[in-house]
Amino acid sequence: MKRIAEGACLLAFMVAAAGAEPQVGIVTFTVDNVTEAFFDQRMPAFFAREIPGTIFGQTQPITGAPGDMTWDDVRSLAAHGWEFGAHGYTHAYALSKASDEVLEMELGVPAAQIYVQTGIYPITFASPNGDYDARVLERARFYYKAHFRGWGNDGINRFDQTDHWHIYREQVPNTKSVEEVCADIERAGREGYWLVYMWHRVVDEPTYEYENSVAQFEGVLDCADRLRDEGIIRLMTARDALEVVPHTPRSPEPFPVQP
């Protein structure tokens, strides 16, 4: 059923490319969590619905120690249509303030580890804690093809205005109802832009902004699943979306760029 729906989305995209109607928008779910608990308890919800996405993970904890994801977990993602993107090595430094040596470690080590362990070279990078500047991006270009911000613009990226080194993401807001988030997702599909959402922790009762309730999490995934099957949105990994959304370099701006 999912493959038929994906075929319908592809057909809609081809028709749009011919100029008959606006392009179908894209939604990408990203996860910033490399704990075994999240992998075991929450990732199956994506897998069961055949929803693709991208985990941005620091690689230092991926050792098989109790509580952390393992490289076997990471290697299993591809079979479910998921990508593993780089999120630094330790996640312990503000990269804009790091020494050149530390910056090189945080950028280069995860790229090498992911490739050696999975056979898939990571092309996407999300700066830890959303902290970066011009120096960080200049060096990141040596290893990666795109950089994802920690927040901004409600996660909205226009097809004709997206710089691949300043891609907006937004935490799924726990102050919104499932219906409100679903409406935002549907709007992305109908208005034809790329919406990048982020999950950190899913718990019974959220206590701060980077936590979402189990009910909201599952409700949003059900919504995305339905809208994809109806051909209203396309669900893609960050890597795949970069092949669809053109790189539109923007004029240099002063740093820091985060609001």
Side-chain angles (χ1 to χ4, degrees):
M1 177 62 184
K2 300 292 189 301
R3 302 304 175 210
I4 294 174
E6 288 167 0
C9 282
L10 178 59
L11 177 60
F13 174 69
M14 292 172 65
V15 171
E21 61 182 51
Q23 291 188 20
V24 174
I26 299 168
V27 175
T28 296
F29 289 113
T30 67
V31 170
D32 286 18
N33 190 315
V34 291
T35 65
E36 189 68 19
F38 191 99
F39 187 85
D40 289 344
Q41 298 170 16
R42 308 305 173 204
M43 293 306 297
F46 291 107
F47 301 159
R49 297 166 175 82
E50 296 184 26
I51 293 176
T54 299
I55 292 181
F56 284 112
Q58 64 271 31
T59 56
Q60 186 185 49
I62 306 176
T63 62
D68 296 322
M69 282 180 64
T70 68
W71 283 111
D72 283 340
D73 295 333
V74 176
R75 284 187 284 270
S76 74
L77 291 171
H80 296 286
W82 273 70
E83 167 196 15
F84 194 86
H87 196 38
Y89 175 55
T90 68
H91 202 289
Y93 298 91
L95 297 189
S96 65
K97 300 177 178 62
S99 67
D100 290 346
E101 291 76 12
V102 168
L103 179 60
E104 201 69 22
M105 176 185 72
E106 292 293 331
L107 293 173
V109 170
Q113 285 183 299
I114 294 167
Y115 181 58
V116 167
Q117 292 288 345
T118 69
I120 301 171
Y121 190 89
I123 65 168
T124 57
F125 177 75
S127 48
N129 302 307
D131 179 87
Y132 68 99
D133 60 12
R135 180 181 66 114
V136 173
L137 293 188
E138 180 180 5
R139 195 57 190 156
R141 284 178 170 87
F142 182 80
Y143 296 103
Y144 307 101
K145 292 186 176 180
H147 168 263
F148 287 72
R149 297 174 60 157
W151 51 80
N153 204 40
D154 295 325
I156 294 171
N157 302 275
R158 302 288 176 181
F159 281 11
D160 60 348
Q161 300 174 21
T162 295
D163 185 318
H164 285 186
W165 292 96
H166 298 274
I167 297 170
Y168 295 111
R169 289 198 295 163
E170 194 70 29
Q171 172 74 20
V172 177
N174 61 18
T175 55
K176 288 187 175 183
S177 67
V178 169
E179 291 74 22
E180 289 172 318
V181 177
C182 188
D184 291 338
I185 292 173
E186 182 170 354
R187 189 174 303 112
R190 295 191 183 280
E191 295 184 10
Y193 54 79
W194 183 20
L195 177 63
V196 185
Y197 267 146
M198 175 169 47
W199 304 96
H200 278 86
R201 297 185 65 209
V202 177
V203 297
D204 291 333
E205 295 291 337
T207 58
Y208 77 119
E209 63 180 314
Y210 290 109
E211 292 182 337
N212 299 86
S213 71
V214 174
Q216 186 193 35
F217 173 69
E218 294 186 349
V220 169
L221 296 195
D222 284 339
C223 165
D225 186 26
R226 173 179 60 81
L227 292 175
R228 183 262 312 276
D229 285 354
E230 293 173 359
I232 294 173
I233 61 171
R234 289 175 285 170
L235 298 176
M236 293 185 178
T237 65
R239 178 189 289 261
D240 288 343
L242 290 168
E243 295 296 319
V244 177
V245 180
H247 173 46
T248 307
R250 66 188 192 187
S251 300
E253 62 176 282
F255 282 83
V257 297
Q258 301 289 19

